[in-house]
Amino acid sequence: MNPRQAFLRELSERAGQTKRLGDSRSLLELGDGQAIVYVRYSRVHPNGATFYGLREEDLRALDGRTAFIALLWDGQVEPLLLPLAHFRELFGEAGPAADGQIKAQVYIHDGQPTEFYIARAGRHNVEAHFGWDALLGALADARDDSPDLDHSQVQTLLGAIGAARGLDVWVPPNDRQKMDWSLAPQFPFRTAMPSALDPLLREIDVVWMARGASTPVSLYEVEHSTPIYSGLLRMNDVHLSLPEPPRCTIVADETRRSVFARHLRRPTFQTSGLDKLCGFMTNAEVFRWHQRTPA
């Protein structure tokens, strides 16, 4: 059974009867119209990337509806179900290619968060969108129960995820007393930053590093109230200074996703290549990612 057939079978088992929306084979209406699922499949290429074309006419058919984009590939354990509402504005800003499709990719790398890339709109962390919970919750008209997290709480959860993955975790020394250990088991902090990296990484909000080594794996800047642009400039300094720069992510409220995408299209970040390396993640997605991370 191919991934599409397997997904459709499980979708029917979990959500009940489905029917096509119009003449499309990719748009499925669930229940009495409570939600729409847009199903796309790609094989996995040798570099760990999948490639999708999202037809502009299909996306227009979803306007005003509760909708999810199901991105499928071979060997997938759980489906990736992206809420359209999170990305609709970015699709509009990116615009379609000459064939009427918005070009998108998913990057799948062992040890790194899964990211959704939209041409001209940057990378977006989607670890929190694996599985069926959000779709089934939409069918039940459930509300998002993720808490309203402050800056230090997001740092706590990101650090806990890194520690659970077997990585060393660096948090700026001045921030360590503010961690909220009611949200996650207490983890040890990396006590020192390698001298060559200290000027660049010391004030990054959360740094994951290879255990016992001097190799940064992932960087996270939590922009709770500070400008997105300042976080991107800090990440750009790292990107331009290291021969093999690590993955980096800006974490902010969902309302600032489009601001991130607009800044990332600035010539300075496209010339440096940061637009292909830096991703975006919301506070709520960090919370759900932590919930899905084995202790």
Side-chain angles (χ1 to χ4, degrees):
M1 188 179 297
N2 64 43
R4 179 185 172 88
Q5 291 172 329
F7 171 77
L8 295 178
R9 179 176 178 177
E10 188 168 1
L11 178 64
S12 295
E13 292 173 352
R14 289 177 176 270
Q17 184 177 1
T18 65
K19 61 182 179 182
R20 290 185 186 180
L21 185 65
D23 296 327
S24 174
R25 296 183 65 252
S26 299
L27 297 174
L28 298 174
E29 190 173 46
L30 308 184
D32 295 321
Q34 291 100 325
I36 307 294
V37 178
Y38 183 23
V39 184
R40 309 304 288 158
Y41 163 79
S42 169
R43 69 182 182 89
V44 181
H45 294 259
N47 63 351
T50 61
F51 293 84
Y52 302 93
L54 305 177
R55 292 188 292 267
E56 187 180 29
E57 61 182 292
D58 288 339
L59 294 173
R60 281 201 300 266
L62 303 178
D63 284 345
R65 308 289 295 272
T66 299
F68 294 81
I69 303 172
L71 299 180
L72 311 177
W73 58 83
D74 295 307
Q76 197 175 27
V77 177
E78 293 184 289
L80 180 60
L81 289 162
L82 303 181
L84 178 65
H86 288 199
F87 300 97
R88 190 65 180 95
E89 185 176 353
L90 301 187
F91 292 149
E93 292 180 358
D99 62 359
Q101 298 186 75
I102 293 169
K103 305 302 183 181
Q105 296 173 251
V106 173
Y107 289 96
I108 311 157
H109 297 294
D110 290 339
Q112 290 284 353
T114 304
E115 292 183 306
F116 179 51
Y117 172 73
I118 308 167
R120 298 187 295 278
R123 294 183 183 232
H124 303 264
N125 187 302
V126 290
E127 279 288 334
H129 298 301
F130 282 100
W132 298 91
D133 290 350
L135 175 60
L136 298 180
L139 293 175
D141 198 25
R143 295 173 63 91
D144 183 2
D145 60 355
S146 56
D148 184 15
L149 301 171
D150 64 26
H151 185 281
S152 298
Q153 289 173 321
V154 175
Q155 284 179 290
T156 304
L157 295 179
L158 286 170
I161 294 167
R165 289 174 166 237
L167 300 168
D168 284 348
V169 177
W170 171 271
V171 171
N174 290 339
D175 291 349
R176 297 179 184 182
Q177 296 302 315
K178 305 173 187 175
M179 298 292 97
D180 186 347
W181 302 120
S182 69
L183 295 176
Q186 190 164 353
F187 53 83
F189 296 108
R190 175 97 177 209
T191 56
M193 185 68 70
S195 57
L197 299 177
D198 190 83
L200 285 172
L201 303 183
R202 183 176 180 80
E203 296 305 321
I204 298 289
D205 287 322
V206 179
V207 180
W208 292 354
M209 303 190 72
R211 179 63 59 87
S214 59
T215 307
V217 174
S218 293
L219 314 179
Y220 297 89
E221 275 286 89
V222 182
E223 304 301 348
H224 189 70
S225 58
T226 47
I228 296 288
Y229 188 59
S230 65
L232 287 171
L233 286 175
R234 182 172 290 178
M235 295 299 195
N236 203 44
D237 287 344
V238 176
H239 177 64
L240 292 174
S241 301
L242 298 182
E244 296 185 11
R247 298 285 313 126
C248 58
T249 301
I250 299 293
V251 182
D253 186 80
E254 177 63 44
T255 58
R256 305 178 80 188
R257 188 186 293 273
S258 60
V259 176
F260 164 83
R262 284 198 300 273
H263 282 315
L264 210 59
R265 289 197 296 272
R266 287 173 177 253
T268 186
F269 298 136
Q270 299 209 348
T271 300
S272 72
L274 186 73
D275 63 315
K276 295 180 175 59
L277 190 73
C278 189
F280 182 89
M281 192 176 193
T282 68
N283 301 329
E285 287 168 343
V286 171
F287 177 77
R288 292 194 293 272
W289 186 15
H290 178 260
Q291 285 187 311
R292 292 172 49 84
T293 300

